[in-house]
Amino acid sequence: MSNLLDKASIVLTPTAYDNGKVLCVKPSDGSGDFDFSRNSAATRVNAQGLVEDVQILSSNLVQNGDFSEQGSQLITNGGFATDSNWTLISGVTYNVGGYLDFDGSQGTGSVTNTPNTTFTLNKTYKVVYEIKNYVSGTIKFRFQGGSNTIGQQQSGDGVKTEYIVCNDSSNNNFNFFGSSSFIGSIDNVSVKEVGQNWFKDANWSIGDNVATSTGGGRMFQSISALEGNTGTKVKVSFNITEVTSGGVKVDCYGAASSVITEVGTHTFTGTTTNSLNLYINNSGTGNLVGSITNISVIEITDDTNLPRINYDGFSYQDALGSELVTNGDFSNGATGWELIGAANVANGVGNFVGSGDKILQRPNLTQGKLYKITFDILNYTSGTSRVYLGSTGDASFTATGNGTYSAILEAESSTDVVQWRSSGTTFIGSIDNCSVKEYLGQEVVPDSGCGSWLFEPQSTNLITYSEDFSQWQRVNIATEVSTTLSPDGISFMTKATFSASASNSYIRQNKTMAVGSVTSSIFVKKGNLDAFALIRIGSIDNPVSVWFNLDNGTVANSTGSPTNTSIVNYGNGVYRISATTTSATDLTLTSIIQSSDTSTGNPTENATQFYWGGQIEILPYATSYIPTDGTSVTRNQDDCTNGGSAASINSTSGVLYAEISALEETSELNRHISLSSGFNVDRLYLYYTKSGEFGFAAYVGGVLQANIKYDGIIVNNSKVACKYKENDYALWVDGVEVGTDTSAGVWSSGTLDRMNFANPLGSGNNFFYGKTKCAAVFPLLTDTELAELTTI
Amino acid sequence: MMQIYKTNFPTEQQGKDYLLNLGVILEVRGKIVFAPTTAAVVYIGKVVKIPATYDADGNILTLAVYYDGYAIDVMSSDLLTFGTFEVFPADKAAHSFYGWARGAEVPK
């Protein structure tokens, strides 16, 4: 193939473009480059698998805009795995189970841990600790030194979480104190800084993934990419989650919003005018009593003729959380492990030597979440090993013989334990490399997809708020912006919680229009319970319902006669689902998105699902996502023409080659990729048609010379070569010569001078809509070369 | 230089006829196509003035109220004259082109 490409005079692959130009690999001097226009923005799937507006030039420039980042652990031995690092007082002792016991005789003294760094004035810290074996009294913590920073009185078993702002730069110790009546145990103490990258006045605090203001005062951060670059066009988004009074004004280097007082996601674009900072309520403007989160700033361009290189065919891998097992490779002996029976740790492995042996750890698990457990068996002698995620009776899996084993299990109970033990016959052998990580789903392997030029028809998203589901009609559903990233990697999906198991639980858009085909699509992610998402298009003469299985990425069921359905994996458990139906009459279209665990359409009560990017368009298939925010929005058609020249297209013999897939099996109008003189009288063109055919045809001086048809579909990627020579025309598809014509003329030298992804005029109704991985023009090739060129 | 025009005609047919007469769209072998200078024509149809209302179960309580006429948006590199059919909803427009401001119609 590489040698063949050396022969080509025009080679177009998805590699480079400018605004208004699709750039060829050959010729490399620019003489073969195509003109491109669309005159609108558009989205594509980029190499990382993210839905991206091609006008966006940068990733999110805001650091920690969702206030989720946490600093390093400041407490050493907060899990009490060893009897060290804490300064104890009378009445407080280390328990061999790995926690601290308070017996009620400790008085008001302090149990102290010296943090790994001095606490910083006005910084916010997340303090977490667990009370166990609670009997009576209360306990509290403080950052000690100078003017102490003091936490709340806590009591009762459970994990206690507090966000607290350091109020003195002299704070240099962490301790539990002044809790003379407390009888119980303390475990899993953690202190981490939150709100990194932000500078804030004292009235701002950060916690639970939001920044909260109690009135005047500002918060700001510096964005290096915008320093000294005034005149940069930016798109700024933020989410106001709570307003008691006042509002929010965001000022991004001079590009500023008005004072906004409504809860919800807000977006504005502007041009930077100074070199200051990204401010939230600079000088106290806004005087907010409330909370804000998900702040993003993205550099954008005004260019509207940017071609799209779209990626698909990705590989996927497990998306996992951080390691929850301590010392899983036993390199630090038995540290972190509990050994039951005769189980022991030696030579860097955990050993099972007899009946009743167990080796376990107590990671912090969350009931209902999935975890991936991996471990090795070595020195296998007999029996079966079983791993429980939780107590006996909870989810488990078994393993027998030497090897590496893994499984994804759901934490079915609130018991924070993972235990290795025997199953049936006593397991005699060793375990090593034990790992437990939260399983977050399958994520796209970056750069694993294949790129292609994406040319689409004009389409309008009729939904006026494609990402703001609070604007949709909702019945038995509560919606809120979640912390689950959407497929654009910037904004967040909406979490819908179904409050009833009734069949009339839905989220809906109503549209009145006259249509032939209508397609409804949306990005969906499974929530806590129900595996199915449902698109229902009703109140028309051809109503349809289509169920999609979000566990395995398949179309599960349908009623009515949908003319098209699809489910596409976007990674991290997110699928774009679509359903198409037709109507011959004016209609009121109702599109419903509904969760269901069966084919009935009834959700489980309190079940959740995540939504983003709803789209309704008058086409027989779903096109690339078109975001909307208050209006219906149109993406114009892609127009790619005028590639090549008479110098790079031989008119008397040659090969037009394309590796393409069409967007639909049949087109209402013929779709062309053509070589021509710029007029219909002299042209050679590859086409697909309304009747589901594709092929190629040639006109010389307005007289049809050849029309070789192939009865196949072209929606899957195909390699097609059209050979032309006087009395020697042939069509090759995927390595096979599928048709010939031995009585056909050709053009005089210099006649064919352009290549269009359209008819020779580059206008009208024959634009090619599809994906193009390669298009090329060759001199005449042999059959052997054509077979090689077109073999998949 | 692309221009965005927002129009409102008494009926859909009157709108299409006007666009044909103006050369914004062409009839080629029985098919309506864009003129070479036309980037987009969007048949918006009726524009909602007052949205419908629904009860808690999703049943319609009051029907939507629509503005009179049939709306069509046009993007063209030509300087076009739509006379009294041209409208200027600005930031209250029901439709916009992706990547263009909501009130991007001419005159600015």
Side-chain angles (χ1 to χ4, degrees), chain A residues 261-285:
Chain A
T261 57
E262 294 84 23
V263 167
T265 299
H266 306 276
T267 301
F268 69 94
T269 59
T271 302
T272 63
T273 60
N274 61 45
S275 298
L276 298 176
N277 287 296
L278 168 67
Y279 291 103
I280 313 299
N281 284 356
N282 195 21
S283 302
T285 306

Side-chain angles (χ1 to χ4, degrees), chain B residues 21-104:
Chain B
N21 290 334
L22 209 56
V24 171
I25 55 177
L26 308 171
E27 185 169 352
V28 179
R29 289 194 289 273
K31 300 288 185 183
I32 298 296
V33 301
F34 293 169
T37 52
T38 301
V41 176
V42 182
Y43 299 100
I44 297 167
K46 290 186 172 297
V47 175
V48 174
K49 187 175 184 179
I50 302 172
T53 59
Y54 304 87
D55 65 18
D57 293 326
N59 302 310
I60 196 159
L61 294 175
T62 58
L63 293 170
V65 177
Y66 297 92
Y67 288 102
D68 291 336
Y70 187 92
I72 302 174
D73 279 7
V74 174
M75 183 187 287
S76 171
S77 59
D78 282 343
L79 294 176
L80 303 171
T81 301
F82 290 93
T84 57
F85 299 120
E86 188 164 6
V87 294
F88 304 96
D91 288 340
K92 294 180 180 176
H95 169 263
S96 56
F97 290 95
Y98 188 14
W100 296 76
R102 187 173 187 173

Side-chain angles (χ1 to χ4, degrees), chain A residues 739-775:
Chain A
T740 62
D741 190 326
T742 57
S743 178
V746 292
W747 306 265
S748 57
S749 181
T751 302
L752 305 181
D753 64 1
R754 72 197 62 193
M755 181 174 175
N756 288 348
F757 285 86
N759 63 29
L761 303 174
S763 63
N765 54 19
N766 302 125
F767 287 97
F768 173 75
Y769 298 140
K771 299 174 183 175
T772 303
K773 290 183 177 175
C774 181

Side-chain angles (χ1 to χ4, degrees), chain A residues 433-463:
Chain A
N433 299 319
C434 300
S435 169
V436 177
K437 296 179 179 178
E438 184 181 348
Y439 176 74
L440 303 169
Q442 291 270 295
E443 63 185 3
V444 167
V445 178
D447 300 316
S448 66
C450 189
S452 57
W453 295 109
L454 176 61
F455 302 139
E456 292 185 306
Q458 174 182 315
S459 187
T460 300
N461 186 356
L462 299 169
I463 292 176

Side-chain angles (χ1 to χ4, degrees), chain A residues 3-11 26-27 648 775-779 781:
Chain A
N3 288 337
L4 282 176
L5 288 178
D6 288 342
K7 290 185 173 183
S9 54
I10 298 174
V11 176
K26 291 178 72 176
S648 54
V777 174
F778 290 87
L781 300 175

Side-chain angles (χ1 to χ4, degrees), chain A residues 163-464:
Chain A
Y163 293 91
I164 195 165
V165 179
C166 173
N167 60 20
D168 194 317
S169 59
S170 298
N171 288 174
N172 58 7
N173 277 317
F174 175 88
N175 53 50
F176 292 99
F177 80 109
S179 306
S180 58
S181 62
F182 178 70
I183 301 176
S185 304
I186 294 294
D187 196 2
N188 299 321
V189 183
S190 167
V191 179
K192 295 179 180 178
E193 182 192 337
V194 296
Q196 284 88 343
N197 307 107
W198 291 97
F199 298 90
K200 54 187 178 56
D201 289 342
N203 66 296
W204 282 90
S205 61
I206 292 169
D208 291 329
N209 299 332
V210 298
T212 300
S213 168
T214 56
R218 68 182 183 180
M219 189 172 63
F220 66 97
Q221 74 170 247
S222 171
I223 299 175
S224 59
L226 299 179
E227 301 284 354
N229 287 322
T230 56
T232 301
K233 190 167 186 183
V234 292
K235 180 179 181 181
V236 182
S237 298
F238 54 98
N239 181 231
I240 300 175
T241 59
E242 180 185 3
V243 175
T244 301
S245 63
V248 176
K249 179 178 182 178
V250 177
D251 183 334
C252 179
Y253 291 80
S257 69
S258 56
V259 175
I260 298 174
T261 57
E262 294 84 23
V263 167
T265 299
H266 306 276
T267 301
F268 69 94
T269 59
T271 302
T272 63
T273 60
N274 61 45
S275 298
L276 298 176
N277 287 296
L278 168 67
Y279 291 103
I280 313 299
N281 284 356
N282 195 21
S283 302
T285 306
N287 198 27
L288 174 73
V289 178
S291 300
I292 182 173
T293 189
N294 298 338
I295 303 164
S296 75
V297 174
I298 296 164
E299 184 183 354
I300 61 175
T301 176
D302 282 335
D303 294 340
T304 55
N305 291 315
L306 293 165
R308 288 177 288 172
I309 299 174
N310 190 74
Y311 290 82
D312 56 15
F314 290 99
S315 300
Y316 300 91
Q317 62 189 6
D318 289 342
L320 302 173
S322 58
E323 180 60 68
L324 299 176
V325 167
T326 302
N327 187 30
D329 62 359
F330 300 97
S331 60
N332 195 18
T335 299
W337 292 96
E338 294 179 34
L339 308 175
I340 309 297
N344 64 79
V345 175
N347 301 318
V349 296
N351 299 304
F352 289 78
V353 296
S355 174
D357 287 359
K358 288 189 286 185
I359 298 180
L360 60 89
Q361 230 176 83
R362 302 180 188 278
N364 189 15
L365 306 175
T366 301
Q367 187 175 4
K369 286 190 174 181
L370 298 175
Y371 295 89
K372 183 173 185 179
I373 301 170
T374 305
F375 74 107
D376 297 339
I377 292 180
L378 306 85
N379 312 318
Y380 176 78
T381 300
S382 61
T384 299
S385 173
R386 180 180 290 274
V387 188
Y388 283 100
L389 188 66
S391 303
T392 305
D394 286 337
S396 67
F397 72 106
T398 59
T400 303
N402 290 334
T404 298
Y405 300 91
S406 70
I408 296 168
L409 303 179
E410 180 180 338
E412 296 176 340
S413 71
S414 59
T415 307
D416 288 337
V417 64
V418 56
Q419 52 180 310
W420 279 260
R421 54 191 296 168
S422 292
S423 176
T425 54
T426 300
F427 171 59
I428 306 296
S430 307
I431 62 172
D432 196 6
N433 299 319
C434 300
S435 169
V436 177
K437 296 179 179 178
E438 184 181 348
Y439 176 74
L440 303 169
Q442 291 270 295
E443 63 185 3
V444 167
V445 178
D447 300 316
S448 66
C450 189
S452 57
W453 295 109
L454 176 61
F455 302 139
E456 292 185 306
Q458 174 182 315
S459 187
T460 300
N461 186 356
L462 299 169
I463 292 176
T464 50

